[in-house]
Amino acid sequence: MTYFWETVDTIAPGLGWPHFGPFHLAVLAVFLLLGAVLCRGYCGMDTDKRRRWRRTVALLLVADELFKDFGLLYGGNFSLDYLPLHLCSINIFLIALHAWRRPKLLDTFLYFVCLPAACAALLFPTWAPLPPFNFMVIHSFTVHFLLALYPLALTLRGDMDPQPRAFPRCFALLAAMAVPIWFFNRAFGTNFMFLMRRRGQPPQALRALRQPSARLPRAPRRGLCRDVSAAARAAPTHRRARRQIKPSADPTRPAGAGRFICELSVSFHFPA
């Protein structure tokens, strides 16, 4: 219980677990098995039982969010950054609305937005720095599992009918949520839905793709770019027959197509 009430902002380094390590893979395996059992059970229910199942999952999601709030308050770590204004937290209330009212637009939104977002969070959890026995780890795994389970089970049974042609309306719904949240971020210095960025830096969602550890070493990268540049200059094309590529003013930097490919390759990269 020493670290049970800690958060990613207060935990000491070195107490977490790696992505796709034994603990992570075990949790994913349990969720896959449990999800298959629950989806099969839902598909075999009658109309009244399915309605109660949907409302039960919606209430469990709300209870899971309240459990998170209790843990933050009990540990003295609650702040504006933990308000339910991220996309997955908003989906909790959209599922609650769908469980009772079932608007058709939410069929498409929950399937094409909520389901993949929840699956991505389970595959690449941001709560990995925390030890396994921690309230935020329990909350984060269970809430995203339920967020993925609800639209998947309903779609398999035919109780949800996602329409790809309604996908643009989902973007409109996202924009309707993002605009007031952006103003909230501006007013209170938060970063819900990862809409904000520091001066001179890309948004947080893009910074996750630009970890220095994932970049190639500087010397091999230059050599690779010089090889690409030399191959591009040697290619017998009719355009290069009429003009000659000017060498770079800096001999350590490639010119022409090689420099473009080099800069493109180091602008978009993925963390290890």
Side-chain angles (χ1 to χ4, degrees):
M1 295 293 290
T2 305
Y3 304 106
F4 186 80
W5 302 110
E6 300 292 335
T7 68
V8 292
D9 299 318
T10 62
I11 194 69
L15 297 174
W17 35 272
H19 287 172
F20 303 107
F23 171 72
H24 189 196
L25 291 177
V27 173
L28 293 178
V30 170
F31 281 168
L32 281 174
L33 179 61
L34 182 60
V37 171
L38 292 175
C39 286
R40 182 173 181 179
Y42 178 82
C43 293
M45 295 178 183
D46 58 30
T47 303
D48 185 61
K49 289 182 178 180
R50 293 201 309 273
R51 181 175 65 253
R52 290 200 299 268
W53 188 96
R54 293 192 296 268
R55 295 180 178 180
T56 300
V57 172
L59 291 175
L60 285 175
L61 282 167
V62 175
D64 209 332
E65 182 68 17
L66 293 176
F67 168 70
K68 180 202 75 173
D69 294 337
F70 170 80
L72 291 169
L73 290 170
Y74 183 83
N77 298 316
F78 187 85
S79 67
L80 290 177
D81 294 306
Y82 291 101
L83 291 175
L85 295 179
H86 277 299
L87 181 58
C88 286
S89 299
I90 294 172
N91 285 332
I92 293 174
F93 304 103
L94 294 181
I95 284 178
L97 174 63
H98 188 274
W100 268 269
R101 297 295 183 182
R102 303 183 66 184
K104 296 299 294 182
L105 177 60
L106 287 187
D107 285 6
T108 303
F109 188 89
L110 293 177
Y111 184 80
F112 287 110
V113 178
C114 176
L115 175 59
C119 291
L122 290 172
L123 291 174
F124 308 103
T126 58
W127 53 92
L130 294 169
F133 190 60
N134 178 276
F135 85 101
M136 283 297 290
V137 173
I138 297 171
H139 158 75
S140 300
F141 270 127
T142 54
V143 78
H144 288 99
F145 168 71
L146 292 174
L147 287 171
L149 174 68
Y150 184 92
L152 181 61
L154 269 66
T155 303
L156 290 175
R157 179 56 180 82
D159 290 339
M160 274 178 49
D161 185 24
Q163 297 293 328
R165 63 175 178 270
F167 199 66
R169 297 169 60 197
C170 294
F171 277 105
L173 180 58
L174 274 175
M177 295 186 292
V179 170
I181 290 176
W182 184 86
F183 281 105
F184 185 92
N185 289 336
R186 290 271 297 184
F188 296 100
T190 54
N191 191 22
F192 293 114
M193 295 182 71
F194 306 110
L195 296 173
M196 309 305 291
R197 65 179 180 180
R198 297 178 183 177
R199 182 174 299 178
Q201 292 184 350
Q204 184 172 339
L206 295 181
R207 289 204 305 274
L209 302 178
R210 303 184 66 179
Q211 297 294 334
S213 60
R215 297 181 183 178
L216 293 173
R218 190 172 184 82
R221 188 168 66 233
R222 287 179 177 176
L224 174 63
C225 295
R226 283 196 295 269
D227 293 342
V228 174
S229 178
R233 288 196 296 270
T237 62
H238 66 281
R239 291 186 178 179
R240 289 192 179 88
R242 294 195 300 268
R243 63 180 179 87
Q244 185 177 7
I245 297 178
K246 295 181 179 180
S248 172
D250 184 358
T252 65
R253 302 183 66 184
R259 179 176 176 182
F260 171 77
I261 295 174
C262 177
E263 292 178 352
L264 186 64
S265 67
V266 299
S267 296
F268 299 94
H269 49 270
F270 296 90

